[in-house]
Amino acid sequence: MYVLSNPKTSLITDEEGQLFRLLRHLDMAPDASQRTIASAIGVSLGRLNAQLRLAVEAGFIKISERAGPDRRQRFAYALTARGAAEKLRLTDRFLAAKFLEYQMLHAELTGTRPGLTPLSDRTTFMQNNLAPIPELYVSSDSAQKLKVEAADLVSWDLTPRQICDLELLMNGGFSPLKGFLSEEDYDGVVENMRLADGKLWVMPITLDVSEDFAAKLEPGQDIALRDQEGVILATMTVTDNWTPNKTNEAEKVFGADDQAHPAVHYLHNTAGAVYLGGPITGIQPPMHYDFRARRDTPNELRAYFRKMGWRKVVAFQTRNPLHRAHQELTFRAAREAQANLLIHPVVGMTKPGDVDHFTRVRCYEAVLDKYPTSTTSMSLLPLAMRMAGPREAVWHGQIRKNYGVTHFIVGRDHAGPGSNSQGEDFYGPYDAQDLFRQHEEEMGITMVPFKHMVYVQERAQYEPFDEIEDRDNVTILNISGTELRRRLSEGLEIPEWFSFPEVVSELRKTKPPRAQQGFTVFLTGFSGSGKSTIANAMMVKLMEMGGRPVTLLDGDIVRKNLSSELGFSKEHRDLNILRIGYVASEITKNGGIAICAPIAPYAVTRRKVREAVENYGAFVEVHVATSIEECERRDRKGLYKLAREGKIKEFTGISDPYDVPANPELSIDTEGADVDNCAHQVILKLESMGLIKG
Ligand SMILES: Nc1ncnc2c1ncn2[C@@H]1O[C@H](COP(=O)(O)OS(=O)(=O)O)[C@@H](OP(=O)(O)O)[C@H]1O
Ligand SMILES: Nc1ncnc2c1ncn2[C@@H]1O[C@H](COP(=O)(O)OP(=O)(O)O)[C@@H](O)[C@H]1O
């Protein structure tokens, strides 16, 4: 048994010291022989043997037999996931002990008390924000070994948000966290923004999984964490496994259990029911193929600041394209703090509906040219935002501190989630600044607060709104995010005082005016109501106009090709409609027009298709509202007769349900109008929605 010291005190026992040296050596040089290890860590062979035995018993290392003639090299030793976690824990304690030792020695030599800032630079050790920060990765040799070992473990396939969280856990961006929160830490964070040991931490970073997955696990079991391609990124020792009270989490962390808040919506609809907690052993970072040169870990940024001699750095967090107001704000912040500037945009996950990060990074690169090159830098942060306003601001500050930044800009409504279900703001415009201020000192990063910046036409410059004394005598201009989106979607002018032409041109490329974007027309109604006939007429009219490719996904045609194996049970109909929805959303995403004409009898499924399409463009639901009597009278295919005779089962409108659309964009009465007129009604609707130009 190892005698481990009390983690609350900084003293380290001899045994811990030896264990640390052993684990460190095996991390750097797995497979070394006993002789090499003994000489590297300075112990006798006999003593090493005893140590190895203890470490194997504790599950920190594993022994394998090696083929070969040399008896002295018969065994190979390598770190296990548990050993790697133990090494990380000891590393922290070692650092703390060494710093304490340093401080005491410093105090003795300089006659000062420990904890005081040293009197002269000569005796200052490396500036706090520039010293390397502990990561959770093992060495690349050990990673190779652990990967093989982890292949036998139960695996969890990480969600996109968990991949973002894991990357920042592993690279030190979420320091002091060493893994996904334990239940005790989670409770502390939710209730009073502190970990169980009292350290400030405001955001629950939890590994949410399904109930089925959680039920398979034993306490203390190691699991492999894989990315969406199945690559093992880390292992985790599951120490905690619990069902959280999500309502309480929503109220305490996000301010209300209101699903208009994107993170609350995620919590209830996307996150798994059970949380797992435990330490992480990092094997490799998630792979990024985009903008690799613009991505830095906390240690890489710290090294960059060291190299550049940047002692003070002010960071600007953003999830939006930079416009002139932001540039002015960042200039002023850097001037006020007399610091260098880091543009630190989030490229992990932001608010649903935001401009995608590919477009944004191209915009940032265009704006970067307008800053003095030697004073400003840009780096991309793979964070999954929660839009938690005040708590999010503090979290952002802690993360930036880990990245070596000394100052942080907090503006109006920092990380605001928009309006709640009553149409009111979730947080006050300066709540984030207030909470940040309360914790600023403890975090060790200084806030640079900013008020709302507006453009004063007479002086042709941006000014903080509440500092404008002659407010009544000048013209104040401002374009809100909503107004900007409207102008972009309608192809209207965006003035130069608002944004840089390069940025506007990038945004226009990604978000062309509505009349050039893709969209989906979704016709629904009984069999024989006229869906296919109207759809065909519309397709011809749209093709005559030209400009965008038109694809018809008719019920019959889809059933012949995409869904040939399906019948007419509820499950099969839903599957059929979701497939149509998926294809339509892809067409819409790529700028085409999709016309769908299935019966689609279920409202819930139609709603899912709407949501999928609306991620990329407009969804126009058209109810072809021909009565069942008229459809039966027409009985074009003779199916109604068969249905009445019971020869076709589950026939929509006869022996199967149809949910009449409650709020379709258009409802057509085919009994009082001819086909051409019905198709024309749809065309007029598309025109009124700005989707086609008249
Ligand atoms: N039981 C039953 N109920 C409804 N319809 C039936 C059934 N059996 C076969 N058909 C024929 O299949 C066509 C409907 O397929 P859909 O893919 O549009 O249906 S659904 O949306 O998946 O419910 C439908 O074509 P349309 O007349 O073009 O609507 C029918 O011709
Ligand atoms: N105004 C109208 N719009 C569409 N179809 C109509 C109209 N008036 C009569 N019809 C007839 O109704 C039938 C509709 O069949 P179809 O388009 O195949 O319907 P669905 O695709 O909904 O099953 C066709 O025979 C069509 O000529």
Side-chain angles (χ1 to χ4, degrees), residues 40 52 76 78 148 210 254 271 358 422 437 467-468 479-480 488 498 509 530 578 586 604 636:
L52 285 170
V148 176
S210 64
F254 304 111
F358 299 101
Q422 264 73 55
R437 201 169 285 114
E467 284 176 24
I468 305 174
I479 293 183
S480 68
L488 283 171
F498 178 75
K509 267 190 245 159
L578 292 177
E586 286 292 302
V604 173
R636 199 178 172 207

PDB file of all heavy atoms in Angstrom, residues 40 52 76 78 148 210 254 271 358 422 437 467-468 479-480 488 498 509 530 578 586 604 636:
ATOM      1  N   ALA A  40      17.944   5.516 -14.214  1.00  0.00           N
ATOM      2  CA  ALA A  40      17.355   6.823 -14.536  1.00  0.00           C
ATOM      3  C   ALA A  40      16.747   7.490 -13.311  1.00  0.00           C
ATOM      4  O   ALA A  40      16.835   8.698 -13.150  1.00  0.00           O
ATOM      5  CB  ALA A  40      16.286   6.655 -15.615  1.00  0.00           C
ATOM      6  N   LEU A  52       8.054  -1.462  -8.165  1.00  0.00           N
ATOM      7  CA  LEU A  52       7.269  -1.917  -9.314  1.00  0.00           C
ATOM      8  C   LEU A  52       6.118  -2.805  -8.847  1.00  0.00           C
ATOM      9  O   LEU A  52       4.992  -2.695  -9.327  1.00  0.00           O
ATOM     10  CB  LEU A  52       8.155  -2.693 -10.308  1.00  0.00           C
ATOM     11  CG  LEU A  52       9.086  -1.841 -11.168  1.00  0.00           C
ATOM     12  CD1 LEU A  52      10.082  -2.724 -11.913  1.00  0.00           C
ATOM     13  CD2 LEU A  52       8.283  -1.006 -12.165  1.00  0.00           C
ATOM     14  N   ALA A  76       8.651  -5.928 -19.828  1.00  0.00           N
ATOM     15  CA  ALA A  76       8.500  -4.520 -20.231  1.00  0.00           C
ATOM     16  C   ALA A  76       7.441  -3.904 -19.333  1.00  0.00           C
ATOM     17  O   ALA A  76       6.488  -4.564 -18.941  1.00  0.00           O
ATOM     18  CB  ALA A  76       8.055  -4.468 -21.686  1.00  0.00           C
ATOM     19  N   ALA A  78       4.779  -0.594 -18.597  1.00  0.00           N
ATOM     20  CA  ALA A  78       4.145   0.587 -19.194  1.00  0.00           C
ATOM     21  C   ALA A  78       3.058   1.115 -18.275  1.00  0.00           C
ATOM     22  O   ALA A  78       2.486   0.382 -17.475  1.00  0.00           O
ATOM     23  CB  ALA A  78       3.530   0.232 -20.550  1.00  0.00           C
ATOM     24  N   VAL A 148      -3.748   1.156 -27.402  1.00  0.00           N
ATOM     25  CA  VAL A 148      -3.921  -0.281 -27.584  1.00  0.00           C
ATOM     26  C   VAL A 148      -4.707  -0.845 -26.403  1.00  0.00           C
ATOM     27  O   VAL A 148      -5.676  -1.585 -26.559  1.00  0.00           O
ATOM     28  CB  VAL A 148      -2.544  -0.970 -27.705  1.00  0.00           C
ATOM     29  CG1 VAL A 148      -2.706  -2.475 -27.795  1.00  0.00           C
ATOM     30  CG2 VAL A 148      -1.785  -0.401 -28.891  1.00  0.00           C
ATOM     31  N   SER A 210     -26.527   8.172 -22.070  1.00  0.00           N
ATOM     32  CA  SER A 210     -27.862   7.575 -21.981  1.00  0.00           C
ATOM     33  C   SER A 210     -27.948   6.705 -20.726  1.00  0.00           C
ATOM     34  O   SER A 210     -26.923   6.256 -20.194  1.00  0.00           O
ATOM     35  CB  SER A 210     -28.114   6.723 -23.219  1.00  0.00           C
ATOM     36  OG  SER A 210     -27.193   5.650 -23.220  1.00  0.00           O
ATOM     37  N   PHE A 254     -28.606  28.769 -15.646  1.00  0.00           N
ATOM     38  CA  PHE A 254     -29.030  29.609 -16.775  1.00  0.00           C
ATOM     39  C   PHE A 254     -30.091  30.633 -16.375  1.00  0.00           C
ATOM     40  O   PHE A 254     -30.539  31.413 -17.204  1.00  0.00           O
ATOM     41  CB  PHE A 254     -29.518  28.719 -17.923  1.00  0.00           C
ATOM     42  CG  PHE A 254     -28.469  27.726 -18.339  1.00  0.00           C
ATOM     43  CD1 PHE A 254     -28.630  26.369 -18.101  1.00  0.00           C
ATOM     44  CD2 PHE A 254     -27.289  28.163 -18.929  1.00  0.00           C
ATOM     45  CE1 PHE A 254     -27.634  25.462 -18.456  1.00  0.00           C
ATOM     46  CE2 PHE A 254     -26.292  27.260 -19.278  1.00  0.00           C
ATOM     47  CZ  PHE A 254     -26.471  25.904 -19.043  1.00  0.00           C
ATOM     48  N   ALA A 271     -29.100  16.515 -24.256  1.00  0.00           N
ATOM     49  CA  ALA A 271     -28.194  15.890 -23.278  1.00  0.00           C
ATOM     50  C   ALA A 271     -28.804  14.590 -22.746  1.00  0.00           C
ATOM     51  O   ALA A 271     -30.019  14.491 -22.589  1.00  0.00           O
ATOM     52  CB  ALA A 271     -27.945  16.854 -22.124  1.00  0.00           C
ATOM     53  N   PHE A 358     -16.605  29.131 -40.560  1.00  0.00           N
ATOM     54  CA  PHE A 358     -15.748  29.253 -41.759  1.00  0.00           C
ATOM     55  C   PHE A 358     -15.847  30.673 -42.309  1.00  0.00           C
ATOM     56  O   PHE A 358     -14.843  31.321 -42.584  1.00  0.00           O
ATOM     57  CB  PHE A 358     -16.178  28.255 -42.838  1.00  0.00           C
ATOM     58  CG  PHE A 358     -16.080  26.827 -42.396  1.00  0.00           C
ATOM     59  CD1 PHE A 358     -17.192  26.122 -42.006  1.00  0.00           C
ATOM     60  CD2 PHE A 358     -14.844  26.198 -42.360  1.00  0.00           C
ATOM     61  CE1 PHE A 358     -17.105  24.804 -41.579  1.00  0.00           C
ATOM     62  CE2 PHE A 358     -14.739  24.876 -41.937  1.00  0.00           C
ATOM     63  CZ  PHE A 358     -15.874  24.182 -41.549  1.00  0.00           C
ATOM     64  N   GLN A 422     -41.246  34.725 -22.713  1.00  0.00           N
ATOM     65  CA  GLN A 422     -42.155  35.863 -22.545  1.00  0.00           C
ATOM     66  C   GLN A 422     -41.715  37.065 -23.377  1.00  0.00           C
ATOM     67  O   GLN A 422     -42.273  38.148 -23.287  1.00  0.00           O
ATOM     68  CB  GLN A 422     -42.192  36.321 -21.069  1.00  0.00           C
ATOM     69  CG  GLN A 422     -43.346  35.725 -20.270  1.00  0.00           C
ATOM     70  CD  GLN A 422     -43.111  34.271 -19.979  1.00  0.00           C
ATOM     71  OE1 GLN A 422     -42.069  33.936 -19.420  1.00  0.00           O
ATOM     72  NE2 GLN A 422     -44.006  33.403 -20.392  1.00  0.00           N
ATOM     73  N   ARG A 437     -16.933  41.296 -12.031  1.00  0.00           N
ATOM     74  CA  ARG A 437     -16.247  42.202 -11.089  1.00  0.00           C
ATOM     75  C   ARG A 437     -16.096  41.532  -9.719  1.00  0.00           C
ATOM     76  O   ARG A 437     -15.051  41.615  -9.085  1.00  0.00           O
ATOM     77  CB  ARG A 437     -17.043  43.499 -10.988  1.00  0.00           C
ATOM     78  CG  ARG A 437     -16.233  44.677 -10.467  1.00  0.00           C
ATOM     79  CD  ARG A 437     -16.972  45.995 -10.635  1.00  0.00           C
ATOM     80  NE  ARG A 437     -17.002  46.492 -12.007  1.00  0.00           N
ATOM     81  CZ  ARG A 437     -18.113  46.606 -12.748  1.00  0.00           C
ATOM     82  NH1 ARG A 437     -19.286  46.247 -12.255  1.00  0.00           N
ATOM     83  NH2 ARG A 437     -18.051  47.067 -13.982  1.00  0.00           N
ATOM     84  N   GLU A 467     -21.718  57.767 -22.755  1.00  0.00           N
ATOM     85  CA  GLU A 467     -20.762  58.887 -22.565  1.00  0.00           C
ATOM     86  C   GLU A 467     -21.082  60.049 -23.494  1.00  0.00           C
ATOM     87  O   GLU A 467     -20.372  61.060 -23.500  1.00  0.00           O
ATOM     88  CB  GLU A 467     -19.333  58.390 -22.834  1.00  0.00           C
ATOM     89  CG  GLU A 467     -18.795  57.561 -21.691  1.00  0.00           C
ATOM     90  CD  GLU A 467     -17.408  56.985 -21.982  1.00  0.00           C
ATOM     91  OE1 GLU A 467     -16.683  57.571 -22.819  1.00  0.00           O
ATOM     92  OE2 GLU A 467     -17.088  55.945 -21.386  1.00  0.00           O
ATOM     93  N   ILE A 468     -22.095  59.889 -24.329  1.00  0.00           N
ATOM     94  CA  ILE A 468     -22.428  60.969 -25.272  1.00  0.00           C
ATOM     95  C   ILE A 468     -23.301  61.988 -24.545  1.00  0.00           C
ATOM     96  O   ILE A 468     -24.468  61.729 -24.243  1.00  0.00           O
ATOM     97  CB  ILE A 468     -23.166  60.405 -26.521  1.00  0.00           C
ATOM     98  CG1 ILE A 468     -22.323  59.298 -27.168  1.00  0.00           C
ATOM     99  CG2 ILE A 468     -23.461  61.518 -27.513  1.00  0.00           C
ATOM    100  CD1 ILE A 468     -23.009  58.576 -28.300  1.00  0.00           C
ATOM    101  N   ILE A 479     -26.913  49.699 -36.226  1.00  0.00           N
ATOM    102  CA  ILE A 479     -27.651  48.652 -36.952  1.00  0.00           C
ATOM    103  C   ILE A 479     -27.642  47.408 -36.076  1.00  0.00           C
ATOM    104  O   ILE A 479     -26.565  46.909 -35.713  1.00  0.00           O
ATOM    105  CB  ILE A 479     -26.990  48.354 -38.324  1.00  0.00           C
ATOM    106  CG1 ILE A 479     -27.143  49.580 -39.234  1.00  0.00           C
ATOM    107  CG2 ILE A 479     -27.623  47.127 -38.983  1.00  0.00           C
ATOM    108  CD1 ILE A 479     -26.597  49.386 -40.635  1.00  0.00           C
ATOM    109  N   SER A 480     -28.804  46.941 -35.690  1.00  0.00           N
ATOM    110  CA  SER A 480     -28.868  45.763 -34.809  1.00  0.00           C
ATOM    111  C   SER A 480     -28.562  44.505 -35.616  1.00  0.00           C
ATOM    112  O   SER A 480     -28.586  44.528 -36.852  1.00  0.00           O
ATOM    113  CB  SER A 480     -30.265  45.648 -34.208  1.00  0.00           C
ATOM    114  OG  SER A 480     -31.167  45.323 -35.251  1.00  0.00           O
ATOM    115  N   LEU A 488     -29.050  41.791 -45.242  1.00  0.00           N
ATOM    116  CA  LEU A 488     -28.335  40.764 -46.011  1.00  0.00           C
ATOM    117  C   LEU A 488     -29.344  39.915 -46.785  1.00  0.00           C
ATOM    118  O   LEU A 488     -29.164  39.647 -47.971  1.00  0.00           O
ATOM    119  CB  LEU A 488     -27.526  39.863 -45.084  1.00  0.00           C
ATOM    120  CG  LEU A 488     -26.218  40.443 -44.540  1.00  0.00           C
ATOM    121  CD1 LEU A 488     -25.646  39.519 -43.473  1.00  0.00           C
ATOM    122  CD2 LEU A 488     -25.186  40.634 -45.646  1.00  0.00           C
ATOM    123  N   PHE A 498     -20.772  51.128 -40.891  1.00  0.00           N
ATOM    124  CA  PHE A 498     -21.145  49.994 -40.061  1.00  0.00           C
ATOM    125  C   PHE A 498     -20.137  48.854 -40.158  1.00  0.00           C
ATOM    126  O   PHE A 498     -19.734  48.270 -39.153  1.00  0.00           O
ATOM    127  CB  PHE A 498     -22.548  49.482 -40.445  1.00  0.00           C
ATOM    128  CG  PHE A 498     -22.941  48.281 -39.634  1.00  0.00           C
ATOM    129  CD1 PHE A 498     -23.331  48.420 -38.317  1.00  0.00           C
ATOM    130  CD2 PHE A 498     -22.857  47.006 -40.168  1.00  0.00           C
ATOM    131  CE1 PHE A 498     -23.657  47.311 -37.540  1.00  0.00           C
ATOM    132  CE2 PHE A 498     -23.174  45.885 -39.394  1.00  0.00           C
ATOM    133  CZ  PHE A 498     -23.576  46.048 -38.079  1.00  0.00           C
ATOM    134  N   LYS A 509     -21.555  36.442 -49.637  1.00  0.00           N
ATOM    135  CA  LYS A 509     -21.259  35.191 -50.344  1.00  0.00           C
ATOM    136  C   LYS A 509     -21.947  34.017 -49.635  1.00  0.00           C
ATOM    137  O   LYS A 509     -22.502  33.123 -50.249  1.00  0.00           O
ATOM    138  CB  LYS A 509     -19.749  34.938 -50.357  1.00  0.00           C
ATOM    139  CG  LYS A 509     -19.078  35.494 -51.619  1.00  0.00           C
ATOM    140  CD  LYS A 509     -17.657  35.010 -51.699  1.00  0.00           C
ATOM    141  CE  LYS A 509     -16.713  36.190 -51.575  1.00  0.00           C
ATOM    142  NZ  LYS A 509     -15.370  35.866 -51.157  1.00  0.00           N
ATOM    143  N   GLY A 530     -54.244  16.252 -55.214  1.00  0.00           N
ATOM    144  CA  GLY A 530     -53.691  17.094 -56.275  1.00  0.00           C
ATOM    145  C   GLY A 530     -52.246  17.514 -56.030  1.00  0.00           C
ATOM    146  O   GLY A 530     -51.708  18.385 -56.722  1.00  0.00           O
ATOM    147  N   LEU A 578     -39.095  11.461 -43.037  1.00  0.00           N
ATOM    148  CA  LEU A 578     -37.808  11.996 -42.548  1.00  0.00           C
ATOM    149  C   LEU A 578     -36.735  11.867 -43.629  1.00  0.00           C
ATOM    150  O   LEU A 578     -35.853  12.725 -43.752  1.00  0.00           O
ATOM    151  CB  LEU A 578     -37.376  11.287 -41.262  1.00  0.00           C
ATOM    152  CG  LEU A 578     -38.268  11.598 -40.048  1.00  0.00           C
ATOM    153  CD1 LEU A 578     -37.814  10.811 -38.828  1.00  0.00           C
ATOM    154  CD2 LEU A 578     -38.275  13.098 -39.727  1.00  0.00           C
ATOM    155  N   GLU A 586     -30.782  18.933 -47.580  1.00  0.00           N
ATOM    156  CA  GLU A 586     -29.490  18.980 -48.283  1.00  0.00           C
ATOM    157  C   GLU A 586     -29.603  19.845 -49.549  1.00  0.00           C
ATOM    158  O   GLU A 586     -28.711  20.634 -49.871  1.00  0.00           O
ATOM    159  CB  GLU A 586     -29.030  17.569 -48.671  1.00  0.00           C
ATOM    160  CG  GLU A 586     -28.536  16.751 -47.498  1.00  0.00           C
ATOM    161  CD  GLU A 586     -27.228  17.287 -46.909  1.00  0.00           C
ATOM    162  OE1 GLU A 586     -26.230  17.381 -47.646  1.00  0.00           O
ATOM    163  OE2 GLU A 586     -27.217  17.616 -45.701  1.00  0.00           O
ATOM    164  N   VAL A 604     -46.338  15.971 -36.181  1.00  0.00           N
ATOM    165  CA  VAL A 604     -45.043  15.964 -35.467  1.00  0.00           C
ATOM    166  C   VAL A 604     -43.899  15.721 -36.455  1.00  0.00           C
ATOM    167  O   VAL A 604     -42.836  16.356 -36.390  1.00  0.00           O
ATOM    168  CB  VAL A 604     -45.058  14.869 -34.380  1.00  0.00           C
ATOM    169  CG1 VAL A 604     -43.695  14.711 -33.741  1.00  0.00           C
ATOM    170  CG2 VAL A 604     -46.108  15.195 -33.339  1.00  0.00           C
ATOM    171  N   ARG A 636     -58.428   8.582 -58.680  1.00  0.00           N
ATOM    172  CA  ARG A 636     -57.634   8.490 -59.893  1.00  0.00           C
ATOM    173  C   ARG A 636     -56.977   7.126 -60.084  1.00  0.00           C
ATOM    174  O   ARG A 636     -56.835   6.622 -61.191  1.00  0.00           O
ATOM    175  CB  ARG A 636     -56.551   9.568 -59.817  1.00  0.00           C
ATOM    176  CG  ARG A 636     -55.945   9.909 -61.127  1.00  0.00           C
ATOM    177  CD  ARG A 636     -54.942  11.018 -60.873  1.00  0.00           C
ATOM    178  NE  ARG A 636     -54.183  11.264 -62.073  1.00  0.00           N
ATOM    179  CZ  ARG A 636     -52.955  11.755 -62.070  1.00  0.00           C
ATOM    180  NH1 ARG A 636     -52.366  12.015 -60.915  1.00  0.00           N
ATOM    181  NH2 ARG A 636     -52.343  11.957 -63.189  1.00  0.00           N
TER     182      ARG A 636
END
